[in-house]
Amino acid sequence: MSVPLEKIHFSVAEYLDQERASDIRHEYHDGEILAMAGGSVKHSRIASNALIAIGMALRGKPCQPHGSDLKVSIRSQSRFVYPDITIVCGEPQIDPRAGQSEAITNPTVVIEVLSPSTQTYDRTKKFQYYRALDSLEEYILIASDEARIETFCRRNDGSWAFRSWIGLEAQVPIESVSISVLVAEVYAGVEFDALPPIPTDPHKEEGE
């Protein structure tokens, strides 16, 4: 959910200075600054529901969930991004370059709520960027057009195991932090668009 600000190369320091003075959020991708586009009401509700459900499940554990205001620094690729939700276990490690505009470098879990305009990016390039984080153990995608949650867990050999849950009755484990959340809680108050009716053959007689 980002659009190019300008086709000019900026240093990390210039980006961070602009971000501290800005009323809107921007991502930084190897010299390019991208303004974050606003999300829909549905997107916001799903993200808020998921953050609350995860926060409740993490009570008493040494891990904390954070919303979309927290930047993640991917230092190996010179990127600063804003996931919809991050889970950090233990003490947050802060990129010292960010100063008071804090950016963490050690998320254990990253969660993105998909939208029609970003789902391809979230599934491909953005996942590729996140995989460069040594701390990342799990990547989770939450659909906004149906009750569907997908998880990718990092294995010991560096590969990623994929699982998918569909339907409000499902319970999704977040294995890296030993919790689970109900799909119904994530989608509480969310209405999905009705599927279009299947067209009928006007030349077919009723009862055939």
Side-chain angles (χ1 to χ4, degrees):
M1 298 169 64
S2 54
V3 293
L5 185 64
E6 292 182 47
K7 279 292 185 180
I8 299 175
H9 190 277
F10 294 89
S11 69
V12 167
E14 289 171 329
Y15 160 71
L16 292 169
D17 284 343
Q18 288 194 29
E19 194 68 352
R20 281 189 284 269
S22 178
D23 293 330
I24 61 174
R25 294 174 299 157
H26 301 80
E27 291 190 346
Y28 179 82
H29 292 276
D30 195 22
E32 187 175 5
I33 295 177
L34 304 176
M36 302 298 293
S40 66
V41 172
K42 183 186 293 184
H43 183 284
S44 177
R45 173 166 283 185
I46 293 171
S48 296
N49 287 346
L51 184 61
I52 292 169
I54 291 169
M56 294 289 289
L58 285 173
R59 283 187 174 183
K61 294 181 177 291
C63 302
Q64 293 293 324
H66 300 271
S68 59
D69 288 334
L70 182 63
K71 287 195 295 297
V72 170
S73 170
I74 308 174
R75 295 199 64 167
S76 64
Q77 297 190 358
S78 191
R79 302 183 193 278
F80 290 85
V81 295
Y82 286 92
D84 286 315
I85 299 171
T86 55
I87 300 176
V88 181
C89 295
E91 287 296 318
Q93 297 176 12
I94 307 299
D95 188 331
R97 299 173 299 173
Q100 293 181 345
S101 178
E102 291 187 343
I104 64 166
T105 62
N106 65 323
T108 300
V109 182
V110 167
I111 302 170
E112 297 285 5
V113 178
L114 301 175
S115 64
S117 61
T118 65
Q119 61 178 338
T120 299
Y121 171 60
D122 288 337
R123 291 181 182 281
T124 55
K125 284 189 176 180
K126 202 166 192 182
F127 187 21
Q128 177 185 335
Y129 302 153
Y130 286 137
R131 292 199 300 270
L133 293 164
D134 292 337
S135 65
L136 189 69
E137 297 181 18
E138 202 157 358
Y139 184 52
I140 299 175
L141 298 175
I142 303 176
S144 59
D145 58 347
E146 64 174 324
R148 185 183 74 253
I149 298 177
E150 302 170 357
T151 64
F152 299 82
C153 294
R154 194 196 297 262
R155 293 171 169 158
N156 292 334
D157 63 0
S159 63
W160 293 80
F162 169 77
R163 297 179 70 185
S164 177
W165 287 263
I166 299 175
L168 296 175
E169 301 79 14
Q171 187 161 322
V172 180
I174 304 180
E175 295 181 4
S176 56
V177 291
S178 301
I179 64 171
S180 62
V181 295
L182 292 171
V183 173
E185 292 180 350
V186 174
Y187 291 100
V190 175
E191 295 184 0
F192 300 110
D193 296 333
L195 294 174
I198 298 174
T200 58
D201 185 348
H203 301 293
K204 189 176 182 179
E205 296 291 338
E206 187 175 351
E208 288 186 1

